[in-house]
Amino acid sequence: MPAASRPATATDPIAAASPAGNPIALTDRRPVVPAERLVAEMVPPPRFADVSFGTYIPDRTQPSQYEAVQVLEQFAGTLGRGNGSAPKRSWFRRSAPAPTGPAGVYLDGGYGVGKTHLLASLWHAAPGPKAFGTFVELTNLVGALGFQQAVRTLSGHTLLCIDEFELDDPGDTVLVSTLLGRLVENGVKLCATSNTLPEKLGEGRFAAADFLREIQGLSAHFRPMRIDGQDYRHRGLPDAPPPYADDTVAAVAARTPGASLDDFEALLAHLSVVHPSRYGALLDDVTAVCLRGVHQVDDQSTALRLVVLADRMYDRELPITASGLPFDQVFPEDMLRGGYRKKYLRAISRLVALARDSAKG
């Protein structure tokens, strides 16, 4: 089943997509995103709009990748059926029959082994209604709707897929854990992914243990699946291209219809006044991102906003042409060793991949 299209943005007066010679300035945009769009956009990003279990290419040296496909295909077959799902219950009913099968599957593995591809494949294979979003998008949805309304809205779904489940913010983890508990009571099936840190890959189910501990009462409902393998973005690919000169970046923006052009410092400042739930709308109709003067980001709050923007750019497959510092040097070493290191490593991987896409063009 093809992914639903992402609806148009409700905005303040916003800079429209530009013809060649007149690049967009993201810093001029002030998107206003209604809660309805947040719900409607809970579909796989364009990069994964047409994937399936059949298009996933397992690494021949990694049996766990083949096993993950089999487990998820079997799980998909139970969705919406009496043999695997708890019957949907009324919002006002206090009790419901216990599920007869696992309420969810948790995919644990390193960066770029295809977890999101598999998660999106499950979403496409499942009967509707269904929802797909990152952990951050799910917390934004709860913030926009309120907890009780989020429960009511998602309780009508067959499946909720959560990509990049994050355990680094205790408050958000408790919030989402409580939400998932309510959804499981209402018969919603779950699938989640998260990343094992590179230095933890030899320690068995490290990330899975963290995940199951943090979601507490839900842990018995999840089947953890470890997916081993090398980051597919680095399989046989050349190193990331070096940064370009400022005038080259400007020239690429000028000749590319729909491209944006911003100074990196100004864009970071702009992100501080736009809610992260609106970063996707900030990129509406943008075809490529051009940045001048990329530099190291030393402030934690600024760095975390950049992580969210990197995710939204990656979702939309926007090639990045940039001058200044290479993207693998954007976050300082102390941040890469800190509590948010998973986020920063994911952002580096994605920014480098988008820079490679620009070099190909």
Side-chain angles (χ1 to χ4, degrees):
M1 174 178 177
S5 59
R6 290 180 182 259
T9 313
T11 65
D12 280 337
I14 187 171
S18 64
N22 186 25
I24 298 163
L26 297 180
T27 52
D28 288 342
R29 294 186 156 195
R30 302 290 190 278
V32 177
V33 183
E36 293 77 12
R37 171 172 172 170
L38 295 178
V39 176
E41 284 193 332
M42 295 194 73
V43 299
R47 180 179 287 266
F48 300 101
D50 300 311
V51 300
S52 67
F53 294 125
T55 62
Y56 178 76
I57 304 175
D59 186 330
R60 295 179 180 179
T61 66
Q62 302 295 340
S64 63
Q65 296 185 12
Y66 288 93
E67 182 184 5
V69 173
Q70 294 173 348
V71 168
L72 289 180
E73 285 184 319
Q74 293 170 1
F75 184 59
T78 71
L79 299 175
R81 289 172 161 189
N83 67 338
S85 297
K88 301 287 191 240
R89 68 179 175 99
S90 165
W91 166 252
F92 299 101
R93 197 189 310 165
R94 289 288 181 180
S95 61
T100 57
V105 177
Y106 169 73
L107 303 179
D108 168 34
Y111 298 91
V113 297
K115 298 187 304 298
T116 302
H117 185 134
L118 290 172
L119 187 68
S121 298
L122 174 65
W123 187 91
H124 287 300
K130 52 194 174 181
F132 182 109
T134 65
F135 182 89
V136 171
E137 288 171 326
L138 186 59
T139 58
N140 288 338
L141 180 72
V142 175
L145 298 182
F147 182 82
Q148 298 297 347
Q149 183 58 41
V151 172
R152 285 191 288 269
T153 298
L154 295 175
S155 288
H157 287 59
T158 300
L159 173 71
L160 172 61
C161 295
I162 309 167
D163 202 19
E164 307 290 357
F165 201 102
E166 298 173 355
L167 303 174
D168 44 30
D169 187 310
D172 283 347
T173 302
V174 170
L175 173 70
V176 173
S177 178
T178 305
L179 173 68
L180 298 186
R182 298 288 288 275
L183 296 181
V184 168
E185 290 175 0
N186 284 282
V188 181
K189 291 298 185 80
L190 311 170
C191 189
T193 75
S194 188
N195 292 319
T196 298
L197 288 169
E199 65 268 23
K200 300 296 184 181
L201 287 175
E203 298 184 10
R205 298 186 183 277
F206 174 84
D210 282 355
F211 174 81
L212 296 176
R213 181 184 66 248
E214 293 296 336
I215 64 173
Q216 300 172 11
L218 280 176
S219 61
H221 296 293
F222 275 85
R223 173 176 179 173
M225 286 290 305
R226 178 61 180 269
I227 305 178
D228 298 300
Q230 181 185 10
D231 187 333
Y232 78 91
R233 292 183 288 269
H234 300 286
R235 291 181 197 166
L237 295 175
D239 291 335
Y244 298 93
D246 284 350
D247 57 351
T248 301
V249 174
V252 169
R255 68 172 181 255
T256 307
S260 67
L261 175 63
D262 293 273
D263 291 324
F264 188 64
E265 180 63 28
L267 180 58
L268 293 181
H270 186 59
L271 294 180
S272 69
V273 297
V274 177
H275 191 273
S277 66
R278 302 175 183 178
Y279 288 3
L282 194 68
L283 298 166
D284 280 353
D285 301 320
V286 173
T287 62
V289 174
C290 298
L291 299 172
R292 289 180 297 213
V294 173
H295 60 76
Q296 191 170 81
V297 180
D298 298 315
D299 175 70
Q300 189 100 268
S301 296
T302 303
L304 291 173
R305 287 191 287 267
L306 178 59
V307 168
V308 177
L309 182 66
D311 287 342
R312 301 292 79 78
M313 291 190 294
Y314 185 77
D315 288 346
R316 289 156 177 77
E317 300 183 286
L318 299 179
I320 302 176
T321 304
S323 65
L325 202 65
F327 283 119
D328 59 1
Q329 298 178 33
V330 165
F331 304 112
E333 286 299 321
D334 62 326
M335 286 188 179
L336 296 180
R337 294 191 300 267
Y340 295 110
R341 57 196 183 277
K342 282 188 180 183
K343 285 184 170 70
Y344 298 139
L345 290 171
R346 182 180 77 234
I348 288 172
S349 179
R350 292 183 167 182
L351 290 169
V352 168
L354 295 176
R356 286 174 175 159
D357 290 344
S358 176
K360 292 175 186 175

